[in-house]
Every structure is written in structure tokens, then in C-alpha cells.
Amino acid sequence: EKEGKGYVVHKGKPGSLYNELGYAVLSSDGSRFAYSAKVDDQWRMVVDGVEGESFTEIINPLFSPDGRHVLYPAMKDGVWHLVVDTTVNKSTGTRYRTPHFSADSGSIIYIDKIDDKTDTGRLVIWNIRLKKERIINSGATSFVLSADKSAVAAIVKSINGRESVIQFTFAKPDVVMKGADFDRVSNFLFAPTGADLAYFGEQQGKTYGLFNGQEEMLPEGLTPLDIVINPTGKSVGILVSAKNSVYLYQMFRNSGRLGNVYDEAEWLVYS
């Protein structure tokens, strides 16, 4: 800070002074930087020291994997926009949920037009120039990317409120695989490498673990907590709670058997 104002320092060089600063990020190689700053009661995204367009509100910026682009949601006149570099897309009445870049930095994915009653919105992919829109699903609640950012899994909700998981890749977004319908889906997770996916589905009071087309019903009374996929791709480890204790349970391996019991446990990993 200086004279009651703040500034961002990048590679030892101080930036301009501002009354208020927002979240700051670096590109993957550290060569570029971006942060939001308040200028005359409006927010601007400052990228590599250059101020962008004025907005009422700006959400945290994100650099593309190749470091060439930066995106951020921003509001103006009560309407939300998605901004990529200096391009502002069409407006939407609701906030954008979890925008991300694809691995090749050529596409952007997010959820928009969210219905507050159902908490669902459109799962949308745009090209980097914001000129080509592809709607994958209109009832998405959340999504995750694989570690290499090539594959996508999303929880979607049907008109009757049933939930399922869909999967696709950025390379072939038209090829969408849909899982079984459940009363509720939760804890979906990609493996650290590859596109292996695990998640839980609840149906008529019973909980099922699903992993790459396999399905296993958890013993009655177990509540799944942390989940991790075995690097071999042959099993899924979960911490489960039951009778005020925490157990290790491995789906698709030693099924039906509980491991050691603990009073408390978290951060499950495979070595």
C-alpha cells in the first residue's frame, strides 16, 4: 500500500495505485497477470497493466492454459456478461457458473441462465472468439473437468426432478453419454489421469456407487464422505460414516467389507 491506496507488483515492478483491488491471478508460466481494480466507482479488469472496460461488478479472472487469453464474468446495468480478453458476449440475466477453458484454450464452458427454483441452467460451450455457441444440456446443475481438461462430466436434472450424469469431450461435444437416472447424484470425480469417473446415486433411500459403467450398492446405513479413485482404475476408495464413526470402504474391491474404524478421518489418498 501507498498513501492509503493499493497496487499490484509483478516481477518487481509496481502497478498503478487504486482505492480498491480485487482478486489477482497469474498465467501458468507467470509471465502475465490480471486483477480487478476500482476506478471512479466502477470495476475494470487490469491485464498486464492495461485497464479494460468499466463494469458494476467483476468476478475473479481466469487465464487460459496457454496463457494467451483471460476470461471473467462481469455485470453492467444489472446484466451479466462473459468477457474474453476485450470481447464481451451477449448478456444473460443470471450469473455465469464456473467458466473454464478447454485444454487447447480454444473453447470455454460454463452454465448460464440459471433458474433459481430448480438451480439448473444451460451447459454451454463457446469458441474462444465467442462467435459459436453450442448448448449441451438445458438442465445442468454443475460440472467438472478431467485433470487434462479434455473431458467433461455434468449433473443434469430432468423435468420430473430426476438427476443423472452426462459425459463428453471437447473434441466430440456431440457425443454425449448419459448415465442412469437417480433421485439424487453427488460427489462426482474424475481420476487424476484419464477420463475414469466415479459418483454416487441415491434411489429410494439406497446409495449406489458408480464407476465406469459398474454399479455397487453401499451397505445400508453408510453415508459416503471423501472419495478417491485407485490409480490402477480398478476400484474406488471412500470414507463412510456410520454409527458415529468413520470407515474406509473400497467399492468394486472387497465389496461389503469395512476397513479400519476411526473417530475422525479425512483427505483420503492412494499411494
Side-chain angles (χ1 to χ4, degrees), residues 89-224:
N89 80 336
K90 296 178 182 179
S91 61
T92 179
T94 62
R95 187 190 298 260
Y96 292 87
R97 181 175 291 173
T98 57
H100 283 283
F101 285 100
S102 60
D104 64 1
S105 303
S107 300
I108 298 165
I109 186 170
Y110 55 82
I111 297 175
D112 71 358
K113 296 189 177 180
I114 300 168
D115 185 328
D116 291 334
K117 293 182 180 180
T118 62
D119 194 38
T120 61
R122 305 187 314 164
L123 181 62
V124 180
I125 295 178
W126 280 86
N127 66 359
I128 194 65
R129 299 179 184 275
L130 297 178
K131 291 185 177 180
K132 186 178 180 181
E133 178 188 59
R134 185 190 299 272
I135 302 172
I136 304 298
N137 190 280
S138 297
T141 61
S142 59
F143 70 90
V144 293
L145 303 185
S146 58
D148 63 3
K149 299 183 184 297
S150 65
V152 182
I155 296 177
V156 299
K157 187 179 294 187
S158 64
I159 296 177
N160 61 11
R162 303 271 286 167
E163 294 183 350
S164 60
V165 171
I166 61 172
Q167 293 177 255
F168 59 94
T169 64
F170 282 104
K172 297 181 178 180
D174 290 331
V175 181
V176 179
M177 296 184 296
K178 180 181 177 299
D181 290 335
F182 290 93
D183 296 333
R184 180 174 176 270
V185 172
S186 63
N187 295 58
F188 61 153
L189 172 76
F190 274 112
T193 59
D196 292 336
L197 181 74
Y199 60 96
F200 297 112
E202 296 178 17
Q203 177 78 7
Q204 296 181 348
K206 298 180 180 180
T207 301
Y208 298 83
L210 295 100
F211 178 58
N212 290 348
Q214 304 176 77
E215 181 179 302
E216 179 177 325
M217 186 175 71
L218 270 63
E220 188 174 351
L222 298 185
T223 301

